[in-house]
Amino acid sequence: MLGEKTLKIFVFISAASVLLLLFVFASTLLWKSLPSIRVFGYKFLTGTTWDPISESFSALPFLVGTLVTSFLALLISFPFSLAIGVVLGEYFNTGVWSYFFRSLIELLAGIPSVVYGFWGLSFLVPRVRDLQVKFGVMPYGVGIFTSALVLAIMIIPFSALMLREMIYLVPKKYKEAALALGATRFEMIWKVALPYARSGIFAGFMLALGRAMGETMAVTMVIGNSNDFPRSIFSPGNTMSSLVANEFAEVSDNFYLSTIIQVALLLFLVTIFINIISKYITRKLSVRSSL
Amino acid sequence: MKRSKITIFLSLLAFLYVCPQKGFSDDILGAGASFPYPLYSKMFHEYRKKKGKKVNYQAIGSGGGQRQIVNQTVDFGATDNFIAEKNLKQIKRPLLHVPTCLGAVAVVYNIPGQSQLNLTQENLADIFLGKIKKWNDPRLSASNPKLALPNLDIVVVHRADSSGTSFVFTDFLSKVNANWLKKVGRGKSVRWPVGLGGKKNAGVASYVTQVLGSIGYLELAYALGAKLPQARIENKSGNFIKPTVLCTALAGDLDIPDDTRVSLTNSPALNAYPMASFTWLLLYKEQKYANRTKEAAKSLVDLIWWMLNEGQEIAEPLHYVPLPEKALEKAKNILRSVTYDDKPLLTV
């Protein structure tokens, strides 16, 4: 059969080309950042100075900036995503209202990040500044905390919709069995549905985390872009993606360029590392079908 | 039936293939600085209306402009900072800098009342070094006897992205303040001792608007557009000068080197605004390279010639500073030196 064979070849080539692309991608980053890797070695990850004039570069402030903003965003978004998932997966899982709410949340996911950034700058920043005045810290308004807030709102749709699917897909027999044993609806959700769906829920949050780590524009607009090591969550900071976006267009010096590409490589590796860990945990958490 | 469909498809393909190709080779390609982009796009628009020649300019940043002309992927590059001697020597063939206009860097601030602020060179450096932390610091009051400056923290705002504006600003501070030179230095992107970084002029402007007690620096055209108050800066002669088109032009009206590669900050002219700079186009002196036709070379030189003549009138309404007399003459001479196969392209 010609059709069968052609399709097979086509599918195979397509699949292989994606892998090849990933490989080419990683090796380009590595190749271009070699001059910087040779000079700084592991010190690129331990120092706290980023000084283009004296050509002393280390990416720790940005690595920390990326990790802190992303995980803080995840933490802030967690209760909201969980609540939305439960409401849409268990209480309003079908019908017009469910469809309406889901569409609204999908709409949130579709808003361009520059709009989130602009909203963060004009709405959140003055409020965070008021908060900072109360806490007695330097009232910048912008900073790591503000970007974590913006990121949290941006990633809620990703985790919430995934959670909704996971909770919705918990087999009816388990839910009904729990109710039949005298569990309240809350107990059923808390003790049966959520534990059953935990690996999917975890995967949903990891998806959201990945989104937060790569986000550039909205973060750049509200993080304050300070290349010093952040002293608290209220201080201005910078993330890896934001640094690359800020510096790349104007670099004319090849060595400086290679350090920026190394930051991109670092972001790439961190993303892959977190992906692998989350795959591993998702597998550990998944409920065996024999349950 | 089937055949005609294939024919239509093929002719469509051929059409798509031929069209942009033809359009492409006729256009003049340029890339680089984003600071003069509003001016250039207006100039190129006018030029197309008058001469029917299309210019395709990509505002990818000065660094990108330098890289693209060195790699010969564009007809001309554009940059806000001239290429240093040692880097210029590494380029295979002589590269020319042709200035097109001047830009200035304005210091903008957000303090309640928003009266006219005077800043001495030392105070400006000390604010950006983080040494002056409050607006009611006596050192600031000394040069502003009439102002009641509030007891408010100073929030420094600088550019987060690498930029020619930052270069002019840090270049000025490096010239006038030894401490700044030692601790920070000059560059398109430096290690800022204090403060927040805003992305592009728009980012700095929005931080300064948002954060009470902030001070930042903006490209003059942008500061005038954003309607933020601009500080008077002490110049080399000790006068406090407000950034205006006129005072910026004075900074460039000096005896400058013939290749115009010179920093105009801290100009000795009596009423010159101290933070000014040229912005340049980059092109090769010998235009016969990489299979370039004489027509392509000629149309590029004609375009730049037009920018130095009729084009200059477009600058001021857009808050850009036209080239002063002496600089303009030098720019024209540089353009006259452009050759194709060792023969000059311009005869005017």
Side-chain angles (χ1 to χ4, degrees), chain B residues 187-198:
Chain B
K188 287 194 281 184
S189 131
V190 298
R191 187 181 178 208
W192 296 96
V194 284
L196 306 172

Side-chain angles (χ1 to χ4, degrees), chain B residues 40-66:
Chain B
Y40 287 175
S41 57
K42 177 82 179 155
M43 280 180 169
F44 298 152
H45 179 75
E46 291 295 317
Y47 191 71
R48 194 185 182 185
K49 270 204 300 202
K50 295 216 167 80
K51 316 268 166 169
K53 193 84 195 156
K54 195 179 168 202
V55 184
N56 185 348
Y57 182 75
Q58 306 282 330
I60 55 171
S62 296
Q66 292 175 18

Side-chain angles (χ1 to χ4, degrees), chain B residues 307-337:
Chain B
M307 289 167 82
L308 293 177
N309 289 286
E310 285 96 319
Q312 289 293 305
E313 288 157 25
I314 298 172
E316 204 168 329
L318 294 175
H319 303 311
Y320 288 87
V321 184
L323 290 175
E325 204 67 38
K326 286 176 199 162
L328 191 61
E329 220 26 70
K330 296 215 157 137
K332 285 177 179 171
N333 283 336
I334 293 170
L335 202 58
R336 285 189 186 105
S337 74

